[in-house]
Amino acid sequence: VSVVAVSLPNQERLAWWVNHLAELLPDRRVLAANDVTDADAVDYAVVWMPPTGMIAGWPNVKAVISIGAGIDHITCDKEFPSGVPIIKTIGPDMTQRMREYIALHVLRFHRELPDLERSQKNSTWEQVFTPTAPNRNIGILGMGHFGKACALTLRDLGFNVSGWSRSGTAVAGIETYNSDGLEAFLAQTEILVCLLPLTDETSGILNAKLFEKLPAGAKVINVGRGQHLVEQDLLAALESGQISSAVLDVFTTEPLPKDHVFWTHEKITVTPHVASLIDPISGGKIIADNIGEFDRASIS
Ligand SMILES: NC(=O)c1ccc[n+]([C@@H]2O[C@H](COP(=O)([O-])OP(=O)(O)OC[C@H]3O[C@@H](n4cnc5c(N)ncnc54)[C@H](OP(=O)(O)O)[C@@H]3O)[C@@H](O)[C@H]2O)c1
């Protein structure tokens, strides 16, 4: 019988996923990775942050399915066997959640809500005049599934949106830049959104050199991965005023340690990796469907 092995660091969630996938995949044996006794029988692995070398220990694995949109938590395994396909999981609800999160924080910055909140704390009546959306430049790093969806949401709200990606693929109503156009893209970006995947090329991209190329007082929203950001460089840029505010949803260490300076920094908003969580019910269905589809494609 085909075995689907499931691995997640959180034991409670692991049990839930094993039971849920077992219901959705009645023709397969769904097992927690630790319960696998015959390594040769595993043909699919459904994982979040699998331990190093675990996948390499299953020589017949046909595909590895990420319980989420990112795959860096799998590719960071130095022993990951080359040539094994990785399937990421994205549902329409995840795209919608990301659109909402980005719209929320862009609008909050656009209308200078942090300043207004500070004024309220001091009981100060201080009106802030803000430009309208067509006069506000938003730049999105990464124009893949999520980047493009968010760019279109912001465009529909009236913002002047630009997108940067390797290819610079055209998107209606968005000014797109390719790898070579990073400087020009940054020079006009007032609110920067990072929606890149974490790779060797993108790791540490949100650094002092990049911040200097933004207009003074720019704002940053990072929903990619914590490792995109050089933390000390952000703190220095906030101190100098080169960056005026930041929203961070992802961190190098998650959960963000209790004593981390970001928690209490007055110019940083911290959210606990909630921009677009996978819905376990619809996500499970997508994973089960993807396994079936992958099987059918590899047979035909
Ligand atoms: N915080 C959260 O809750 C949350 C939720 C979901 C996802 N995420 C993060 O969002 C990331 C993006 O997801 P996605 O599904 O939108 O990814 P995707 O569809 O693979 O798109 C990636 C985009 O980044 C561009 N890119 C990749 N490497 C680049 C480089 N070196 N230079 C310039 N552009 C580069 C790609 O360019 P091309 O178009 O030219 O290939 C593409 O436009 C995920 O990997 C994950 O880290 C976070």
Side-chain angles (χ1 to χ4, degrees), residues 88 143-146 164 166-167 195 197 223-225 249 276:
K88 58 186 193 177
M143 287 291 285
H145 179 82
F146 290 103
W164 180 76
R166 267 179 310 216
S167 56
L195 264 164
V223 279
R225 283 290 179 260
D249 185 53
S276 172

Side-chain angles (χ1 to χ4, degrees), residues 234-252:
L234 175 66
L235 291 170
L238 287 168
E239 179 71 29
S240 73
Q242 177 59 20
I243 301 295
S244 59
S245 296
V247 169
L248 306 175
D249 185 53
V250 284
F251 304 90
T252 303

Side-chain angles (χ1 to χ4, degrees), residues 106-113 115 127-138 157-160 190-191 219:
V106 165
L107 282 167
R108 177 172 170 269
F109 277 159
H110 168 60
R111 295 301 298 258
E112 308 290 1
L113 204 60
D115 284 353
Q127 291 182 322
V128 181
F129 183 78
T130 51
T132 53
N135 296 301
R136 182 75 81 185
N137 298 333
I138 318 294
L157 282 169
F159 287 104
N160 192 26
E190 295 168 274
I191 301 175
K219 296 164 167 59

